[in-house]
Amino acid sequence: MAESRTVQSVGRALDLLELVASAESEIALVELARRTGLQPPTAHRLLHTLVDREWIVQNPRTSRYRLSHKLVALVGTIEARTARLRVVARPHLEAVRDSTDESTNLVVLDGLAAVYVDQVPSSRPVRMFTEIGGRVPAYASGAGKAMLAFQAPGVASALLAGASLTPLTQHTVTSQTGLERELARAREDGYAFDNEEYESGVVCVAAPILAQDGTALAAISISGPAARLHTVDLDEIGRELAGHAREISREFGHAPATI
């Protein structure tokens, strides 16, 4: 039997944390234990650790639990970082949209998910709309592959180790070897493609936004109908996106290596 990659106590603690976060008001130990299926002594022990680490707070008057400001501050820090990305990237998204008249996107990586955090829509009647906060598998996304290709050594391999590359369309790359080839090509070219791999009839081209250390902070991309994008030079669009991504990267301290 394959060895579990999860630590049971960590999983249980996170279950409790998520329940406390989802509660509309303070929540009692008995309710937390019931909803997680834990014995009250086990739930109490895990909650005590979370309180001790200041992730949640126990009201001394009611003995009920609520989120701490430490977690709220952490979320706020992430939001502030994403907000800055949006501000810096927005003019570039608009410029690429204007030159291609295709929808442009700002995407970040969360584990093995590519998460859309901004979009400038095309003016065409047939265009791609993406819900802000929408998540797609990184291995089947141009933006996801662009970001996976520019992770610190070993990070992408660790993320992909044991991952199930589920086929989403007939074009999805479902082998580790095939995906590694795609990532190597993205590192060489500076941009990546999704050729109907996530959704039939939709093509995406993306380039990574790099941090000071050369790892991907985010990606910018265009997405549009395959029937339209297959009539243009996608490598030319990739190079255009890469140029804009380099300009954004400079705002975040990345200086491209000079030969």
Side-chain angles (χ1 to χ4, degrees):
M1 186 172 64
E3 182 182 354
S4 172
R5 292 178 180 272
T6 62
V7 177
Q8 189 179 57
S9 60
V10 174
R12 288 172 170 176
L14 290 173
D15 287 341
L16 289 167
L17 184 61
E18 289 173 359
L19 275 175
V20 172
S22 67
E24 293 183 2
S25 59
E26 294 179 346
I27 186 168
L29 168 64
V30 173
E31 179 66 8
L32 287 166
R34 184 186 67 80
R35 292 174 63 179
T36 56
L38 297 173
Q39 292 296 318
T42 301
H44 183 265
R45 190 164 56 251
L46 293 168
L47 287 164
H48 180 77
T49 300
L50 291 170
V51 170
D52 187 59
R53 297 301 298 269
E54 299 181 347
W55 292 111
I56 62 176
V57 173
Q58 186 178 28
N59 186 326
R61 185 175 60 82
T62 64
S63 296
R64 290 172 174 260
Y65 298 91
R66 68 176 186 271
L67 279 186
S68 74
H69 289 293
K70 179 179 181 179
L71 189 57
V72 174
L74 177 62
V75 172
T77 299
I78 295 170
E79 276 297 310
R81 190 180 305 143
T82 303
R84 186 184 174 210
L85 265 170
R86 289 194 195 100
V87 169
V88 175
R90 186 75 182 192
H92 297 275
L93 296 181
E94 292 172 347
V96 176
R97 188 277 313 273
D98 291 345
S99 69
T100 63
D101 206 5
E102 299 292 353
S103 297
T104 56
N105 314 287
L106 177 64
V107 190
V108 297
L109 190 66
D110 182 14
L112 270 180
V115 183
Y116 290 81
V117 296
D118 201 5
Q119 183 180 69
V120 178
S122 166
S123 66
R124 300 175 190 256
V126 180
R127 53 189 168 174
M128 298 300 107
F129 284 106
T130 302
E131 182 180 356
I132 302 305
R135 303 165 70 90
V136 301
Y139 68 87
S141 156
K145 286 188 280 187
M147 291 184 286
L148 286 173
F150 287 86
Q151 294 299 305
V155 170
S157 298
L159 285 171
L160 292 166
S164 176
L165 305 183
T166 305
L168 305 171
T169 73
Q170 62 178 336
H171 302 288
T172 307
V173 178
T174 57
S175 72
Q176 294 281 350
T177 301
L179 184 57
E180 286 167 6
R181 281 198 298 267
E182 292 272 324
L183 300 185
R185 178 183 174 185
R187 281 189 290 271
E188 182 176 346
D189 294 341
Y191 51 89
F193 298 103
D194 156 16
N195 190 15
E196 303 184 67
E197 295 163 45
Y198 174 66
E199 183 178 352
S200 295
V202 177
V203 167
C204 172
V205 189
I209 297 168
L210 304 180
Q212 186 174 9
D213 63 0
T215 60
L217 279 173
I220 55 172
S221 71
I222 69 156
S223 53
R228 193 159 66 222
L229 286 176
H230 281 160
T231 66
V232 301
D233 186 340
L234 292 179
D235 284 302
E236 182 178 344
I237 292 175
R239 289 188 290 271
E240 180 180 356
L241 282 166
H244 282 279
R246 282 193 295 272
E247 291 184 40
I248 301 169
S249 299
R250 276 195 285 270
E251 293 279 342
F252 290 92
H254 178 66
T258 56
I259 299 175

